[in-house]
Amino acid sequence: MPTDAEAYAPMTPAEVRALRDQLDAQGKKLVFTNGCFDLLHAGHVRYLNEARELGDAMVVALNSDESVRELKGPTRPINSENDRAEVMAALRAVDAVVVFGDKRATSLIETIQPHIYAKGGDYTVDSLNPEERAALDAAGTAIRILPLVPGRSTTATVQRMTHDGGAGRLRIGVLGSGEGSNLRAILAAITAGALQADISVALSDQADSKFLQIAREAGVPAIHVDGGANPRRFDDAAQKEIAEHLQRAQVDVVVLIGFMRILKEPTLSLYADRIVNVHPSLLPKHKGANAPQLAIEAGDTETGCTVHLVTAEIDAGRILAQATVPVLPGDTSEKLHARIKDQEHKLLPQVLAEWKK
Ligand code: GRF
């Protein structure tokens, strides 16, 4: 019986071309994708499963050790090309693996002439490497960009492992009720390495919120806390439950992002000076709900967003940072709020990145 290493040995480019021709003769399609796949994580697996769905078989072109070093620096790859190839070939979505030594996949594309080329979503068709793009166009290959899976990256995994097993990183607990766009921005900053933190728990009073969905998809423990019968209040049992979840997750800082209920004791005392909120106005102006609408009605030419500490008094704790946004003629509350949120998405991760534990 062959060993796993033999059974999953990489193919030569010529063998992959033969596979492509065989599929072609049957009216089937070969998908091609390439990358380093150094520390395999769920984001990779999900991406590969989606890419495989685009055709009938898939080949993964793996960067050789030398080309990974060139692309990612001297500390990478963590796993050798043989091991990476073996792991990759064992995946359900992968039919063939080929290792390539160039920084670009151009000559492989020319040899293999795949039917479909799949790439992870930090690219657009226009931002592909021009040489690779020309080779794809010449081969008549269809280009498909797939969305990146949020919250997962090899860089973030390596960072988690090298900071005292995560002990040096900020542990964030988030509370939200709505869209979760700020949560997405925090996750993106973590993935990019701009924020040395982990989201340890996400809590929401809304079971079906996008906020909880985003957390779940990013692998963050996502918990619905039932606020009780009155939709405007958050009863004592729920207040206590929130504090317990935050403590269990050992969070250093609590972030309220669009959390529509009022946070009270015991969390306020347990996390005094360690709870932040983001509000869509230049506080102390326009406290409470509908702040963008209030700015329009007041005839303000400028508004913005504020990140501040949370106290028992609503929208009144110490201001940590603000960013301004113009109010434009013809602005609706929605348009203005969207412009404010763009700033929130930068400001909130910045404040957290500077947070001292
Ligand atoms: C933000 O505008 C924030 O200022 C306010 O609620 C909104 C939350 O948006 N407190 P999202 O859920 O992060 O998209």
Side-chain angles (χ1 to χ4, degrees):
M1 208 180 118
T3 64
D4 281 353
E6 280 158 3
Y8 296 133
M11 286 188 180
T12 64
E15 284 169 335
V16 181
R17 174 58 189 260
L19 171 66
R20 179 260 181 220
D21 290 344
Q22 208 180 317
L23 289 163
D24 196 65
Q26 297 165 4
K28 292 184 173 168
K29 298 205 181 307
L30 179 70
V31 182
F32 175 105
T33 192
N34 61 297
C36 302
F37 299 101
D38 191 3
L39 277 182
L40 201 70
H41 53 72
H44 288 142
V45 175
R46 245 181 260 176
Y47 164 77
L48 291 167
N49 283 339
E50 268 187 56
R52 172 65 177 74
E53 288 292 303
L54 299 171
D56 303 288
M58 182 163 75
V59 56
V60 176
L62 266 189
N63 286 90
S64 68
D65 289 347
E66 208 184 315
S67 68
V68 176
R69 260 192 298 281
E70 245 180 275
L71 286 165
K72 308 269 180 191
T75 59
R76 303 276 298 275
I78 289 157
N79 289 305
S80 71
E81 67 193 38
N82 289 341
D83 281 24
R84 287 182 288 122
E86 187 176 334
V87 170
M88 194 54 48
L91 295 179
R92 199 183 50 206
V94 178
D95 300 275
V97 175
V98 61
V99 177
F100 70 110
D102 302 340
K103 254 164 97 180
R104 307 273 163 229
T106 317
S107 72
L108 259 191
I109 294 164
E110 283 165 359
T111 307
I112 295 172
Q113 309 255 311
H115 300 97
I116 297 152
Y117 174 84
K119 190 87 191 160
D122 43 356
Y123 287 85
T124 62
V125 173
D126 291 330
S127 72
L128 288 178
N129 170 266
E131 263 182 36
E132 282 181 0
R133 174 75 197 274
L136 292 165
D137 288 346
T141 305
I143 302 171
R144 303 291 297 273
I145 309 287
L146 298 176
L148 270 192
V149 179
R152 309 283 194 321
S153 78
T154 301
T155 307
T157 308
V158 171
Q159 279 170 353
R160 267 203 300 280
M161 291 162 64
T162 50
H163 287 73
D164 310 329
R169 292 164 69 81
L170 189 67
R171 294 179 66 86
I172 301 174
V174 289
L175 276 73
S177 310
E179 282 298 299
S181 68
N182 279 287
L183 173 57
R184 219 188 268 285
I186 296 173
L187 287 165
I190 293 173
T191 305
L195 172 57
Q196 307 292 317
D198 294 300
I199 301 195
S200 307
V201 69
L203 304 170
S204 180
D205 56 323
Q206 301 296 324
D208 301 326
S209 58
K210 195 113 174 276
F211 173 87
L212 275 189
Q213 194 187 323
I214 291 167
R216 226 171 271 128
E217 280 169 9
V220 170
I223 301 167
H224 167 233
V225 177
D226 189 345
N230 185 336
R232 263 181 290 221
R233 284 203 53 216
F234 212 37
D235 64 25
D236 290 349
Q239 295 285 356
K240 199 159 158 267
E241 203 185 323
I242 292 273
E244 282 165 3
H245 284 304
L246 294 170
Q247 286 189 297
R248 211 168 294 141
Q250 302 182 346
V251 310
D252 299 310
V253 57
V254 180
V255 184
L256 307 189
I257 27 187
F259 187 60
M260 297 315 283
R261 312 230 188 179
I262 298 169
L263 189 65
K264 294 187 180 163
E265 297 297 353
T267 303
L268 288 186
S269 298
L270 283 170
Y271 293 92
D273 293 333
R274 290 189 291 149
I275 310 172
V276 300
N277 180 45
V278 56
H279 182 78
S281 81
L282 294 173
L283 289 174
K285 273 183 132 180
H286 311 313
K287 295 180 179 176
N290 303 326
Q293 179 62 30
L294 295 177
I296 293 172
E297 283 168 13
D300 295 351
T301 53
E302 189 176 74
T303 183
C305 54
T306 303
V307 178
H308 66 94
L309 291 177
V310 172
T311 57
E313 197 185 330
I314 310 259
D315 298 333
R318 182 156 67 85
I319 292 172
L320 301 178
Q322 291 184 311
T324 57
V325 166
V327 182
L328 301 178
D331 258 350
T332 59
S333 169
E334 290 72 31
K335 276 195 205 164
L336 180 57
H337 197 177
R339 201 176 309 122
I340 294 171
K341 277 191 176 192
D342 286 344
Q343 291 305 315
E344 293 180 353
H345 299 161
K346 293 181 200 144
L347 194 67
L348 189 53
Q350 267 167 25
V351 169
L352 294 171
E354 284 162 20
W355 193 270
K356 299 276 175 287
K357 277 226 269 182

